[in-house]
Amino acid sequence: MSTRIVVDPITRIEGHLRIDVEVDGGQVRNSWSSGQMFRGIEIILQGRDPRDAWLYTQRFCGVCTTVHAITSVRAVENALGLEIPLNAQLIRNLILIAHGLHDHVVHFYHLSALDWVDVVSALKADPAATAKLAEDLSPWPGNSRRGFEAVKAKLEALVASGQLGIFQNGYWGHSAMKLPPEVNLLAVSHYLQALEYQRKANQVVAILGSKTPNIQNLAVGGVANAINLDNQATLNMTKLYAVRDLLAEVSTFVHQVYLPDVLAIGSMYPEWLGYGAGVTNYLAVPDLPLDAAATTFDLPGGTIVGADFGSYKPMTSWKDERFRDQVVESIAHSWYDGAWTKHPWEEETVPKYGDWEDKGKYSWIKAPRFEGRPMQVGPLAQVLMGYASGHPLFTKYVNYALETLNKLTGKNLTAAVVHSTLGRHLARCLRTQVLADQALDHWQRLAENIGKGDTDIFNPPHFPKGEQRGFGVHEAPRGTLSHWVVIRDGKIANYQAVVPSTWNAGPRDDKGQPGPYEASLLGNPVADTDRPLEVVRTIHSFDPCIACAIHTLDPQGNEVSRVKAL
Amino acid sequence: MIPADPLPAPGAPRVTPPRTAVVALGSIVMGDDGAGAAVLAALEAGWDLPRELERLDLGTPGPYFAEYVRDYEQLVVIDALRSPGEPGEVKCFDESTLRAVPAGDRLTPHVLDLGEALARLAFEGRAPAKVRVVGIVPDAVRAGTELSASVRSAVPRAAMAVAGALEDLGIEAVRRARSEEPVTWWSRPPRRISPAD
């Protein structure tokens, strides 16, 4: 007899995601991923000025505001064939890097570490032993015995108060929790320190973007950051150095805390390198352009099919015809009128809500496909493109991680282990290492270009009569993001956003192929169907955030698990 | 955003008023969900407020809420409410209500749980001493940049309630003789451009 478990809602970020799994013999046999609220924001954009679109698209989601803003201006620029000045590219890049650093650190420490870290167990830790362990792992100066004592005392006070507060809904004492008390105390201490460092990354977004959430410095054609080194009100050396100092501090944290933590925690859960692969077709788009015309990029894009590094096909341009032509979305199992599979430029959004039917329609999310295949997107896809293309930074960090994991586990792991639940956490961490190095490099490029006397930030757009079609891409923290726009006589005629969590969280398509979340759960162990921690681990490894696909207004609050026996 | 001066030592005489922020939550592209931003705009148009009073349009920050408010000693949060009631009804409550709400029951849709956010700040030692919430019961939360009629008519009342909450927290809010036009750019109709050949 199999048991059906519903985990609803599953995210700690805004957005209402429901996961249904059938468990038999302690393993997941079938699964469904469902977005539970219709959003339909594309409708708002119809008839508007394409130069205004980014102000609305960045309100898709309150967490990834920046990425939707920048992707929107890129889409309109693509439709017009409009180049932007080098300063504008580099300022946008710095904002995107800072946002990525912020988002990845938050995801690991604040949104998913508690799937692996048992906070209550940290109470049994010896602070001196924790300090010794930490010193072996990293040169980070924030690992003192007194610091660990203070955190332990804070935790003791919290537990004594009877209100676990932030740690309320954890799976404490679950049989799948395996870290020794000292590692748990280390992780809780770094949870608190990470709050400080993610904030520094976000300050960079605020300085360059003028505000966060919802940056204000964009324009179709460039940025609105006036550059004048002699003016206090503009981007000047003082502000540039404030940005540099913040990025340097965050980079140190990322190298000396985030990486050692992921490797140490990961080495104690090696079995999770064997679960959660799911869809092993990967897609990433090139990002961080290095020139005004965007002909070379610092982050490589491309595709890999069937976990085969040899199948790597690079994507080297934002005008890539293969990408332009091969993205479609299916609504065969989504609550929209019809059963079509269409290109984003041709889509219409006509909602038609029905019941949740496991063989019929069951989600508000559409099912995107590339060359007919479901694709996994996200940091793992990005790291694989970097590794397959021989990108020096990705290669360096992947090799370092494997060497360290082999040392810690005594195993002989190869790069193939990244196709897994833990592999996604590892890849996110490695991408963060690369971004941390690139942050300082892109800052240097901007400072040098301004130093040459170039202060250009904007090329004005011109809207011809007739129709233009464009797409803008960004390799966002959760993966490939694309906005698709059709402009007619200077107004928006159609607008679609195909977001990372649509690629990953989407339902089955017209051929019945499951999406990445669904496929990743098959074969997952579930020790206790009342507390399906293992399901949560695999889904959280994707960094689920589906506010941009859907929106939450959930009157049930934090209902964690409903169990139905079939 | 960075505070100008550190927290005073306990018992030390205050020379500056407590750092205070008015925080609008909600999505301006989801109809009545955007009530918070509309109320904040009405407040700024109709009242003279101290320069030091921070006004934060935070949208739907989810788990990031705590990070944006951790430097303030007092908060007034404006949002669409999750609680039952007539559309357009304005309800006010304070931190004691927030603490009494069981974990998991969310008063507003945008902070995973305002109580949880405050608990996290308390764990960091940075919880605001005073929190006031001014909420409006929504009518229609769906894609759109306009408020429903009942919520639109409640905006002035809610702005008045926010001004009252500020006075209550020792922050001077002076009603202007004539209100300016509130800046709610998102609900303007699309502007016209003439394409060139």
Side-chain angles (χ1 to χ4, degrees), chain A residues 342-509:
Chain A
K342 286 187 180 178
H343 187 277
W345 281 332
E346 313 294 343
E347 284 182 30
E348 64 242 330
T349 304
V350 184
K352 191 181 178 191
Y353 182 68
D355 289 332
W356 189 98
E357 292 181 58
D358 52 10
K359 291 189 176 60
K361 293 187 180 246
Y362 60 88
S363 179
W364 282 116
I365 304 177
K366 296 167 185 168
R369 296 294 179 260
F370 186 80
E371 293 176 339
R373 295 187 180 94
M375 307 298 279
Q376 185 181 149
V377 303
L380 173 54
Q382 166 100 89
V383 168
L384 289 172
M385 300 314 147
Y387 192 68
S389 67
H391 185 288
L393 283 175
F394 282 106
T395 308
K396 173 180 122 180
Y397 285 113
V398 169
N399 289 340
Y400 172 78
L402 287 172
E403 271 168 38
T404 310
L405 276 177
N406 283 334
K407 222 180 287 167
L408 292 170
T409 59
K411 291 179 191 288
N412 189 19
L413 305 169
T414 67
V417 297
V418 298
H419 308 289
S420 62
T421 296
L422 203 54
R424 276 184 287 273
H425 280 292
L426 180 62
R428 187 172 296 106
C429 178
L430 299 182
R431 178 176 193 261
T432 315
Q433 306 305 313
V434 172
L435 287 178
D437 291 349
Q438 288 172 337
L440 297 173
D441 178 57
H442 281 247
W443 183 90
Q444 193 68 35
R445 287 167 186 269
L446 177 63
E448 280 170 12
N449 193 54
I450 293 172
K452 278 190 226 153
D454 179 0
T455 55
D456 280 358
I457 51 169
F458 177 66
N459 297 330
H462 297 287
F463 291 86
K465 280 207 169 109
E467 186 179 283
Q468 303 90 40
R469 296 175 166 218
F471 66 102
V473 294
H474 166 44
E475 190 61 23
R478 288 169 188 80
T480 296
L481 170 64
S482 55
H483 283 200
W484 305 76
V485 64
V486 179
I487 303 168
R488 208 168 290 138
D489 293 337
K491 279 192 246 169
I492 293 173
N494 198 359
Y495 203 103
Q496 295 288 336
V498 183
V499 307
S501 296
T502 310
W503 287 102
N504 286 338
R508 288 157 176 77
D509 58 21

Side-chain angles (χ1 to χ4, degrees), chain A residues 12-14 39-41 44 47-49 51-52 55-56 59 61-63 102-103 106 111 154-155 158 165-168 191-192 195-196 198-199 202-203 211-213 463-465 489-491 551 553-555 557-558, chain B residues 1-2 26-30 33 57-64 67-68 70-71 82 103-106 109-110 112-113 116 119-120 123-126 141 143-145 185-193 195-197:
Chain A
R12 295 174 67 80
I13 292 201
E14 187 188 21
R39 201 153 166 100
I41 203 161
I44 291 171
R48 289 196 185 271
D49 186 329
R51 293 173 299 182
D52 290 348
L55 286 162
Y56 292 91
R59 302 279 177 158
C61 166
V63 171
H102 171 252
D103 204 274
V106 169
L111 299 174
K154 265 187 180 189
L155 268 180
L158 188 73
I166 35 176
F167 304 128
Q168 194 94 16
Y191 172 108
L192 289 169
L195 288 169
E196 303 293 333
Q198 55 99 10
R199 184 175 158 84
N202 208 16
Q203 280 175 338
K211 174 181 183 290
T212 183
F463 291 86
K465 280 207 169 109
D489 293 337
K491 279 192 246 169
H551 181 73
L553 254 182
D554 164 30
N558 268 343
Chain B
M1 290 288 282
I2 298 172
S27 174
I28 56 172
V29 292
M30 290 299 284
D33 202 46
D57 160 28
L58 292 188
T60 52
Y64 297 164
E67 139 175 16
Y68 289 112
R70 57 183 241 155
D71 285 329
R82 202 185 269 274
D105 278 354
R106 304 177 199 163
H110 300 114
L112 283 185
D113 172 339
E116 182 176 324
R120 192 186 106 182
F123 186 59
E124 287 181 69
R126 286 182 163 273
V141 176
T145 55
W185 57 266
W186 57 92
S187 60
R188 283 183 201 142
R191 59 180 169 162
R192 305 234 168 267
I193 51 169
D197 282 309

